[in-house]
Every structure is written in C-alpha cells, then in structure tokens.
Amino acid sequence: MMHKEKYEVTPEPRTTISNRLTSFYGNIRSHLLGGVLTGRRSVYEVSDADLAEGEDGLTAFRQETDGKEGKKNVVKFQRTTSGYLFKPTRMDEEVLLKPKSVELQRSLNRQAHKTSLYEIPNLILRRGQSFDISITFDRTFSEADDEIVLRFVTGRQPMQSKNTVIPVTKVRNLQQGEWGYQITSTEDKKVSLKICTGSSCVVGRYTVYIDTVHRNNEKREEKYRYTHPDDIFIIFNPWCSADTVFLEDENEREEYILNETGRIWMGTVGKFSVRPWNFAQFDDVCLMAALAMLEKSELADSARGDPLLVVRAVSGVINNNEHDGGILVGNYSGKYDDGVAPYAWNGSSAILEEYLKKRKGVKYGQCWTFAAVATTALRALGIPTRCVTNFISAHDSDFSTQIDNFWSPDNKPRKRLNDTIWDFHVWNESWFKRPDLPDGYDGWQAFDPTPQECNEGVFTCGPASVKAIKQGKLYLGFDTRFLFAEVNGDRIHWTIDSEGNMEAIAEEKTIVGRFLSTKAVNTISREDVTNSYRYAEGTSELEDVIKLAKKLCARKEVKIASPLADDIEFSYNGSVQKNGDIDVEVKMKNIGKESRVVDIFITAIATKYTAVPSNDLKDSLAASVLEPGAENETKLSLKASDYISSIDTDSHVNIYIIANVKETNQKYICREIIRCERPNLELKTEGNATVGKPFDVIVKLVNTLSIPLTGGYINLEGPGMQKVSAVKIKKPINPNEEIRETIQIKPRRAGRREIIANFHCKQLCDVTGVTEVEISGEPNKS
C-alpha cells in the first residue's frame, strides 16, 4: 500500500495496540467491500515504479540534481531500528538528530481532551485543541541548526492535497483550530512541544512521523524520519468553537457526548413506556466500529472531516438490506429464532462487537435499535447525537401529508390496504452547523437510520435541518420532505367496494406527529420537542406550512360529503387491567329530535407497532335504535388468556370502531391502541463494586398478569462491564408469583455507572429495570 511504502519506517512488523484490535477484527475494508474492486473504483495498490515517479509531496525528502540529463535522484534510505536514515554521500552521521523516545503523555492529554473514558488505550484527541508531547533525542537539540516537522498521516492513499498528510511546523503563536506547534521547553536532549490540530481536519486513525533536519556549516541538510509505533485517533470536538459540531452549553455536551446511557421512549400516546439503553460509546469496540462504518460507506478519506457527510454515511450503513448491506438486520415479523430479538438487546456494544467479529449484518433490530446504534457510533466520533421518538408517525412515501385508511361497505376494516402510521418511530438528531444551507439552519439535524425509502440507490434519510422541517422548506436537503411527512398529516377514511370504487367518508385532522420525545438533559425525564418540528395546531403558521408542502405533491384535495345531520354523540372508553384483561366501551346519545338507527362494529386485532396487522382476535356487531334523548352503549371484552398467548411477543391490540347512522349517514370512526401493563423489574446490587472484581446484582420480578409467563430470559449489562450471558428462567412464573435471580457482573472501569436489565418471555417483552452503582478502583491501563 502506498503509505506503507512511504511512511512505514520500522523494518520488522510491529504489533501495536491498535494493530492488535484491527487484527482481531480482521481486514475491515476487504471484508466489508469484497476483494474485487477493479472497475468499480480506484484500488490503492501502488508499485515500486509508481513510487519512483513523482509523488514528491508525500515523502518530502526527494532531492533534485543538476545533472546533464536532468533526471531526479531519489535519496537512498538506510533502515535502522527506529527510522529511516537518509544517506547522501559524505554525510556525517553524528550530526543527525534522531528521536530515541517520544512521550505522548496519554493520560494528561486524554484527560484534557475528555477522552479518558475510551477503553482503547491509544491517544485520542479532539480536533482543534492543543496537546503536549516530549521528544528525547540522541543528542542535544539546537534551535538554530535543527528543525522538527511533524507529519500526521491518515487514510488509504495519504496525500497532502487531500488533507490526509498534514505537515505541522513551528509557529510563533498557536491559534485554536489551526495546525502548528510551539517548543515549550528544552532540557539537554529532551524537547517539549505543544501541538494544535486543525478544527476541520479529517477524523480517524493517524500515524505520526517526526522528521528532523540538521543544517551544517556548509548549509547542507541532513534528514531523518522517525515513526511513532502507536496510532493516534482524532475525533470531532464540540468543546472547540471553531469546530462545526461546537455545542455551547456544557450540560448538553455532557449529555449528548459523554453520557453512556440514556432513555428511549416507546409505547403509545397516553401510555408511554421508556426503554433504558446502554450506548457504551467508550467501550473498546465502539470507536473501532464507528471507523469501520465509514469504511463500509466508502466515504472518501478527505470527506471525513465534515459532520454532515459523516452522519449521512453512518446512517446509511446502520441498516442491513438487500441493496447495500449494513450493521443491523431489520425484522418486524415477530419470528427471531435465528438471531436475537430486537427487544432482547440492552445496548449497542454487543451489537457492534458481533458485527466486527462476523463481518455481516447482526440479527435483529427495529427502529429504536437502529437509532441507538447510530447514537453510539456518532458520540464515539465526537458528534453530539440523541434519539428522538415521534408518536403516531406517518410513513408517507408520496409526501402528500394524506394518510389513507379503508373500510368495506359492511363496515369491516380493510387493514392491508391502509397507509402506514406507526404507533411510534425513533430516529436521531445530531448537532452541527450547515454551511451548505442558507443562514439560520444550524443546530439539530434530523436523520433516520431505519430503512424505509431508497434514496439515490441507498436506504438513507437525512440529515435535514429540524428548523427547515418546521418551516416546511422541503427543498432544503437532505430528505426534508420525508421527515416533514412523518410529523404532519391528516387521515382520510374511505369505503371501497368489490370493484375497487372508493368514497371518502371521514377525515381526522393533524393526527400524526404527537409528543416528540427525547431524554432531558441531566435527568431521566422526558423532554417534549414537538414545537421544534411543527407549529402548534390551529395556528396560521401551521396552515401556511401545510399549504406550502401540498404544492409539492400532485394529489388533489379530497372532498368529503357532509352528513344530513350530526345529532348522535359518540364517546370511547378503553382500558386494560393490571392482569391484562381489556374492556372497550362506546357510548351513544341522541341529542336530536328524531329517532335514529345506529350500526356499530368493534373489532380487536393483534398488530405490530408498525401498524401491520397479524390476526383478528374478537369483534362485536350491534344495531341500536335511539329515540330522542336516549343513550346506549356497545361493549367488547378480552380476557388476557384469550389473546396474549395467541399473538407475537412484541404485538399488541388495536381496536377498530366504525358506526353509521342510517338516516343521516353520520359516521363515527375510531382507532385506538391498547397495550397490557408490564410488571416492574427491580434491580439491587450487593457488596462493594471494584474494578476487575465481580459483584452481585439481584433481579426481582412479580408476574402481575392472570396467566403464567413461560420461556423467560433476563439480560443484564452496563457501560464498561464485561458481557454477561442471558439468564434463562427455567420454570413458568405463575400469576402473582415472585422470582429472584442473582447475576454476577464484572466492571472494567471506575465511576458511577447504570446497570440495565430487561426481561422477556413468550407472552410479553420490554420489561426493564435500572440501578446505579459506584465502582471503585482505577481502570485497567492494559
């Protein structure tokens, strides 16, 4: 490889820390892209003949001669144990300035750059910020006669023109965000340097070269190159005002960069559930996995300093599909026997570790796991990122803000024709500036790593400015119109006959885009960010935005015939008992002066959170005659034993209701989601928690349902903790029975940590619990 020929200086193969990690996970690029790249893109294999011709900017040590033929004379290299000796004729080797050792001061620099928590022991720097190193030479350093040039080299084909070879020279004054170094002290053979990296430099893994030049009395230059044996990593820096990911508020930086655990909101409107998640961005596999994602995306090395392109690249490779592969395989079927069920994961680290080991998509994930893994990868790279949940989320592929539902003439739902409205959908936001857009669109940028629509040949969505989404500026990329349609929309109800003829019968205004939620800063509470995505209902601003959006769609406005009278009042009440029993009631009252005949149909259907139906559970059909002032009600009840064992673990019950008043053609249509109550999962730690020593976590569960729970498993993990195998519950858990399991876990890092557990069985999932523990002792350095 080119940079091996030009920059690798040690004759024997070295086994560095980062090399060992890379070796363990194999050759990332060849496994991810395949070995045959010829004809698809340039392959970076360079021959010796190529190296002998041109490329002067790479080595920086070629010399021109004044020979008659005018040919280049390449300086010959003599290999030594620590570097290359450039040996022209009659050179006095005693004047060469050779580094004997280089101290990167990893502990102090990592602390200053807020990278101490990364388990990879290499020096990890945030760009645009200074750091200190010291070099011990084989002789006394002379500022008058000796010169030091540092070279930071990254990428598959390092070139100075592509900003993947960075020569760093001495400057009079260091400027934040500008490359340069100053000599802070000299003490005999030891020289201390303060170095600053560029605030827009490429992020990734770098090799550091130290070039020294000695000018003798004859003004002849004697040159030497030293290569540091360990790679360093440079990542984005939200603490640097010159970096495009700069985030001003320290509390937000702590939350969206340094917080290793979080909360993801799920469930339904009116009955939120919260899923604790172990982002674990500092675990040893996570930074390596994030860099592997950039390799998988084929994002050019020189583009990896732009957070917009990095976020889009990572988002595109999170999902694994038949078009372009990826990290995590989506599955919404309820059948997960050949992998791990999406609800069984507690965190991102286990997913990323399995991916790096097996080199293929990990089975399985759903929207919240896609979003959580994206959060982990981008926080590991230094980009402020969070998960956002949109309740009642539309999948509107034509961006019309119109969602269609269908009914048969005999008032039965035609479920499989309906446009999709997910109960909830989780995507991401990352914080960075948008110099590619007009002024005013910096800040949170929304993107969706869940594969839904193919855009330019890749399943990806965003990043789109959240401000542009709110303002309806759908032409401001990327994919703003798709995200806009997920949070704005009306539902139109149609009847469809056997010949396919349709008639619009009812409309529900602005039903999607409710209670957009993310974890609040410094708490475990929910922060509502709906106002960031859409104007308040009923405002003229929202009306103007919807009108603007509809101009970009070819659909015509739907006209719905008004009923002859609207004199029947309907009200819905649905509840689920703690034991899992469901009761549904629809009340009707005639407030008119004439009698009415009302036909009402209620059906309960097992449904995924993606609104895809699986099987019918129970229905009720009734006709009522209501005299003026009269009231009536229609009920439907489901026992837990009647439905829980007959639906998939991650399904719930949807209630469809349609009522028709014969005399006036008045319609009442209602669709509600019912999820049974989850038991509490209690966690408690026993004994002192110390780095490197196992401690006990006691997990307690009481079955509150009226049926036994069978095939149960408990999964437990935490950031900086060794992986624990799932614990199988061998016996059924009977109604009102309590179980306790003691699980040992061993920490790798000190500090206050959250431990996250989840329980799932054949009957239910998403039963979670959290506890905090203070871990004493120093983290391992090896």
Side-chain angles (χ1 to χ4, degrees):
M1 297 294 287
M2 179 170 287
H3 92 262
K4 284 279 186 184
E5 291 292 332
K6 298 202 172 188
Y7 286 99
E8 188 65 56
V9 298
T10 302
E12 301 84 15
R14 285 191 309 272
T15 306
T16 65
I17 296 167
S18 55
N19 283 343
R20 288 199 297 270
L21 283 168
T22 304
S23 176
F24 176 72
Y25 297 123
N27 187 324
I28 292 172
R29 181 170 175 75
S30 64
H31 281 282
L32 295 179
L33 297 180
V36 182
L37 299 179
T38 304
R40 183 160 73 90
R41 60 173 299 165
S42 297
V43 184
Y44 299 127
E45 294 293 343
V46 184
S47 66
D48 292 338
D50 295 327
L51 291 175
E53 296 293 333
E55 305 289 356
D56 301 317
L58 289 179
T59 65
F61 285 99
R62 303 188 182 279
Q63 294 183 347
E64 299 278 355
T65 67
D66 295 326
K68 293 181 180 180
E69 296 180 1
K71 293 182 179 179
K72 291 184 179 180
N73 176 30
V74 180
V75 176
K76 300 296 184 183
F77 301 139
Q78 174 183 321
R79 294 194 179 208
T80 69
T81 57
S82 62
Y84 271 124
L85 175 67
F86 298 88
K87 196 165 186 178
T89 59
R90 299 193 309 253
M91 183 180 69
D92 185 359
E93 293 192 28
E94 293 184 0
V95 301
L96 286 173
L97 184 64
K98 302 178 184 178
K100 287 299 183 184
S101 65
V102 178
E103 176 52 58
L104 295 180
Q105 302 182 32
R106 282 187 300 205
S107 180
L108 290 175
N109 285 323
R110 283 166 59 111
Q111 184 175 3
H113 284 246
K114 301 185 186 298
T115 58
S116 299
L117 292 175
Y118 283 90
E119 292 182 351
I120 295 176
N122 297 56
L123 177 58
I124 302 174
L125 304 170
R126 298 192 187 275
R127 66 184 191 177
Q129 185 173 339
S130 63
F131 65 102
D132 297 294
I133 69 170
S134 58
I135 308 171
T136 301
F137 294 102
D138 62 341
R139 64 166 174 79
T140 301
F141 173 77
S142 169
E143 287 199 57
D145 300 325
D146 296 324
E147 179 184 355
I148 301 171
V149 177
L150 307 173
R151 294 183 187 275
F152 290 74
V153 178
T154 189
R156 300 180 297 272
Q157 188 186 27
M159 298 175 66
Q160 191 168 336
S161 63
K162 301 293 187 183
N163 294 321
T164 50
V165 175
I166 311 292
V168 182
T169 57
K170 181 182 172 183
V171 296
R172 179 170 296 184
N173 295 306
L174 283 181
Q175 301 290 330
Q176 185 188 44
E178 299 291 337
W179 286 99
Y181 79 82
Q182 284 184 318
I183 297 175
T184 55
S185 68
T186 58
E187 184 180 347
D188 193 20
K189 299 177 182 180
K190 184 177 181 180
V191 178
S192 297
L193 306 179
K194 183 177 287 294
I195 307 163
C196 191
T197 58
S199 60
S200 60
C201 73
V202 170
V203 300
R205 181 164 52 189
Y206 281 78
T207 302
V208 179
Y209 299 88
I210 301 174
D211 296 340
T212 62
V213 179
H214 174 74
R215 296 177 180 85
N216 60 21
N217 293 333
E218 300 174 2
K219 303 300 182 182
R220 179 188 233 150
E221 293 186 348
E222 315 294 357
K223 303 177 181 180
Y224 187 86
R225 170 168 290 159
Y226 169 92
T227 307
H228 196 276
D230 288 331
D231 296 330
I232 68 169
F233 294 84
I234 299 180
I235 60 177
F236 293 98
N237 189 358
W239 282 268
C240 174
S241 60
D243 197 318
T244 48
V245 303
F246 173 66
L247 188 57
E248 188 172 4
D249 188 276
E250 176 62 23
N251 290 325
E252 291 185 342
R253 292 192 292 247
E254 293 277 343
E255 181 67 45
Y256 303 128
I257 289 291
L258 301 181
N259 198 345
E260 296 180 80
T261 57
R263 302 294 186 272
I264 301 173
W265 267 260
M266 301 166 65
T268 64
V269 171
K271 186 170 285 188
F272 301 137
S273 66
V274 63
R275 186 70 191 260
W277 193 265
N278 178 26
F279 294 119
Q281 65 267 32
F282 303 122
D283 281 13
D284 53 7
V285 299
C286 294
L287 179 56
M288 300 300 293
L291 297 176
M293 291 181 198
L294 296 181
E295 289 294 314
K296 168 65 182 169
S297 73
E298 299 190 63
L299 181 65
D301 297 318
S302 57
R304 297 181 188 182
D306 185 343
L308 170 67
L309 299 179
V310 168
V311 166
R312 188 164 173 82
V314 168
S315 175
V317 301
I318 291 291
N319 60 77
N320 183 293
N321 56 73
E322 67 275 12
H323 288 273
D324 49 19
I327 307 299
L328 195 56
V329 180
N331 186 343
Y332 303 84
S333 69
K335 313 302 180 188
Y336 313 114
D337 292 340
D338 60 338
V340 177
Y343 49 75
W345 301 108
N346 275 329
S348 305
S349 180
I351 295 171
L352 295 174
E353 183 174 4
E354 182 176 340
Y355 173 75
L356 289 176
K357 286 180 177 179
K358 294 185 177 179
R359 297 290 183 268
K360 59 183 181 180
V362 178
K363 298 178 180 180
Y364 288 106
Q366 293 178 359
C367 70
W368 72 90
T369 43
F370 290 121
V373 171
T375 299
T376 295
L378 294 171
R379 286 187 184 181
L381 292 171
I383 300 177
T385 304
R386 64 188 185 182
C387 296
V388 174
T389 302
N390 177 37
F391 287 96
I392 313 184
S393 184
H395 180 189
D396 184 8
S397 57
D398 68 355
F399 322 112
S400 64
T401 71
Q402 176 181 311
I403 301 98
D404 297 319
N405 273 210
F406 298 95
W407 303 80
S408 66
D410 57 349
N411 292 334
K412 300 288 180 67
R414 299 290 299 273
K415 305 177 290 293
R416 300 193 182 277
L417 295 178
N418 292 342
D419 286 344
T420 301
I421 299 182
W422 292 16
D423 298 344
F424 67 91
H425 182 45
V426 185
W427 60 68
N428 295 93
E429 291 177 355
S430 287
W431 179 280
F432 51 88
K433 295 178 180 177
R434 291 297 298 268
D436 60 310
L437 299 181
D439 292 343
Y441 295 99
D442 297 340
W444 289 114
Q445 312 294 321
F447 63 97
D448 189 351
T450 300
Q452 295 191 68
E453 293 292 325
C454 189
N455 183 3
E456 298 177 354
V458 179
F459 278 91
T460 187
C461 181
S465 166
V466 173
K467 294 177 182 176
I469 295 170
K470 180 175 183 176
Q471 296 169 8
K473 303 292 180 63
L474 309 190
Y475 46 84
L476 295 179
F478 295 90
D479 310 308
T480 306
R481 59 181 186 169
F482 188 91
L483 288 157
F484 176 88
E486 289 190 284
V487 298
N488 291 280
D490 305 332
R491 180 154 55 192
I492 306 296
H493 293 274
W494 303 76
T495 57
I496 177 170
D497 62 23
S498 58
E499 296 181 356
N501 298 311
M502 298 183 186
E503 179 186 2
I505 58 173
E507 180 180 21
E508 295 176 89
K509 301 290 288 185
T510 60
I511 64 162
V512 302
R514 301 290 187 90
F515 300 101
L516 279 95
S517 305
T518 191
K519 178 184 175 299
V521 174
N522 290 338
T523 76
I524 59 172
S525 302
R526 185 184 73 90
E527 178 185 355
D528 193 299
V529 295
T530 307
N531 289 337
S532 299
Y533 280 85
R534 56 200 303 264
Y535 293 103
E537 292 184 24
T539 62
S540 59
E541 291 91 345
L542 181 60
E543 291 181 10
D544 292 341
V545 165
I546 297 297
K547 287 179 182 177
L548 177 64
K550 287 186 175 181
K551 288 181 180 178
L552 303 177
C553 176
R555 281 206 193 189
K556 295 181 180 180
E557 197 76 25
V558 176
K559 293 183 178 180
I560 301 172
S562 299
L564 298 176
D566 196 10
D567 51 10
I568 302 295
E569 286 185 345
F570 294 92
S571 62
Y572 165 84
N573 182 44
S575 63
V576 57
Q577 307 301 318
K578 200 167 186 179
N579 64 3
D581 294 349
I582 295 173
D583 295 305
V584 173
E585 180 184 71
V586 179
K587 290 184 177 181
M588 300 163 280
K589 181 179 180 180
N590 186 350
I591 59 174
K593 298 180 180 179
E594 299 180 18
S595 64
R596 301 294 186 216
V597 176
V598 181
D599 293 326
I600 185 167
F601 178 78
I602 306 175
T603 184
I605 301 169
T607 311
K608 307 293 184 184
Y609 85 97
T610 56
V612 175
S614 51
N615 55 294
D616 294 347
L617 300 173
K618 190 175 182 181
D619 56 45
S620 172
L621 179 63
S624 300
V625 177
L626 294 178
E627 298 298 333
E631 298 182 18
N632 202 351
E633 59 189 32
T634 300
K635 296 182 178 182
L636 184 144
S637 297
L638 273 175
K639 297 291 184 182
S641 56
D642 295 335
Y643 74 93
I644 288 184
S645 296
S646 63
I647 67 176
D648 291 327
T649 304
D650 53 355
S651 292
H652 58 268
V653 177
N654 263 19
I655 302 296
Y656 289 79
I657 302 169
I658 185 169
N660 179 61
V661 181
K662 285 188 175 182
E663 293 83 1
T664 63
N665 206 30
Q666 180 186 349
K667 305 286 185 183
Y668 172 74
I669 297 176
C670 179
R671 178 179 163 187
E672 293 292 335
I673 304 161
I674 294 182
R675 291 168 57 92
C676 71
E677 295 282 347
R678 266 51 178 172
N680 291 326
L681 195 65
E682 298 180 16
L683 275 66
K684 181 182 178 182
T685 60
E686 285 196 347
N688 297 323
T690 306
V691 169
K693 296 182 179 181
F695 65 93
D696 292 339
V697 180
I698 300 173
V699 182
K700 173 185 169 183
L701 174 74
V702 177
N703 179 11
T704 56
L705 299 181
S706 60
I707 60 172
L709 303 180
T710 59
Y713 286 88
I714 295 174
N715 296 290
L716 187 76
E717 72 173 77
M721 308 275 184
Q722 287 195 354
K723 187 177 179 181
V724 178
S725 298
V727 175
K728 183 177 181 179
I729 309 301
K730 298 178 180 179
K731 297 180 180 180
I733 308 172
N734 293 315
N736 299 315
E737 181 182 354
E738 176 184 302
I739 64 161
R740 291 174 182 257
E741 291 288 337
T742 300
I743 304 173
Q744 282 200 331
I745 192 167
K746 183 164 70 173
R748 298 191 299 263
R749 289 187 271 124
R752 191 158 191 83
R753 302 277 181 264
E754 280 191 324
I755 299 174
I756 297 169
N758 81 67
F759 169 83
H760 61 90
C761 62
K762 292 181 179 179
Q763 291 74 29
L764 51 78
C765 60
D766 297 327
V767 179
T768 61
V770 180
T771 190
E772 282 191 330
V773 60
E774 187 70 38
I775 301 167
S776 61
E778 291 297 321
N780 295 326
K781 300 297 183 182
S782 58

